[in-house]
């Protein structure tokens, strides 16, 4: 058990299923008071009832004020988990705009709302569900890959700027996770992500190990660290390997 999380006020966005629901369950098991946020009111209510939490339906970008009220004025942990994934690489401006708004700007808005209180108290924890796509990339999903890079960059910025003032930041970067989002990735996901996919509960456990060890980068798939190193050390070789995957995928379509 992580003692600091007992009776902590925790918000998890996109918690109606998948990774978000697993995070809500895991925080509740630690004795935290959990706000379950999701666009789908029915799913938020179901998970909240399961964990003894509080359901707040609606846009993740606007949940902080209501969450503060629900938790008695203080949020100790904020899990920016809600995300969207659009396939394709065409200039679909609607997909790009939605991806930026949910995958990046919702994190920025939450931090803007929470940081004053956290800095005044000298403590707070921001958990960003990014994706290995934020460290590497993903074929066939330009808006997703690019905005997940943005989410990682923002988490890094928060950590390097505020860690000396008591703010803890964690970036969760899994590859495939057995969720509805994975099922929606189609043949690209089948090729790249499905073979090594883990359960949402595995992601939650990886986060809690990272919290105990005070680590920024949470890798439910440890091999991602090697891929990330290879990408930095030999970028042309890495890009050639990714292009090989792209060609293999094109042959499957």
């Amino acid at each position: 058990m992580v003692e600091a999380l007992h009776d902590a006020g925790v918000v998890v966005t996109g918690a109606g299923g998948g990774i978000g629901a697993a995070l809500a369950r895991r925080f509740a098991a630690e004795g935290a008071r959990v706000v379950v946020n999701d666009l789908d009111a029915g799913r938020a209510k179901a998970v909240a009832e399961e964990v003894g939490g509080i359901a707040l339906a609606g846009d993740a970008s606007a949940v902080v004020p209501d969450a503060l009220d629900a938790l008695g004025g203080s949020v100790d942990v904020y899990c920016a988990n809600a995300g969207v994934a659009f396939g394709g690489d065409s200039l679909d401006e609607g997909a790009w705009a939605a991806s930026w708004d949910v995958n990046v700007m919702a994190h920025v808005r939450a931090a803007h709302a929470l940081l004053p209180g956290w800095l005044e108290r000298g403590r707070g924890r921001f958990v960003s569900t990014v994706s290995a796509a934020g460290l590497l990339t993903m074929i066939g999903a330009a808006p997703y890959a690019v905005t997940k890079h943005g989410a990682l960059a923002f988490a890094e910025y928060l950590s390097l700027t505020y860690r000396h003032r008591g703010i803890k930041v964690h970036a969760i970067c899994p590859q495939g996770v057995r969720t509805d989002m994975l099922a929606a990735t189609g043949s690209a996901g089948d090729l790249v992500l499905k073979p090594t996919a883990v359960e949402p509960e595995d992601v939650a456990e990886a986060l809690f190990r990272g919290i105990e060890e005070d680590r920024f980068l949470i890798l439910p798939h440890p091999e991602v660290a090697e891929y990330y190193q290879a990408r930095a050390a030999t970028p042309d070789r890495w890009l050639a390997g990714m292009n090989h995957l792209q060609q293999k995928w094109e042959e499957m379509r």
Side-chain angles (χ1 to χ4, degrees), residues 10-12 15-16 18-30 32-37 47-48 51 79 204 208:
V10 177
V11 178
V12 186
I19 294 172
L23 293 175
R25 295 184 188 107
R26 190 66 176 80
F27 277 105
E30 294 288 325
R33 296 169 293 118
V34 183
V35 166
V36 178
N37 164 256
V47 174
V51 305
C79 298
F208 273 74

Side-chain angles (χ1 to χ4, degrees), residues 15 28 30 55 67 75 126 162 177 181 189:
E30 294 288 325
V75 170
F126 194 95
Y162 299 111
V177 183
M181 188 176 286

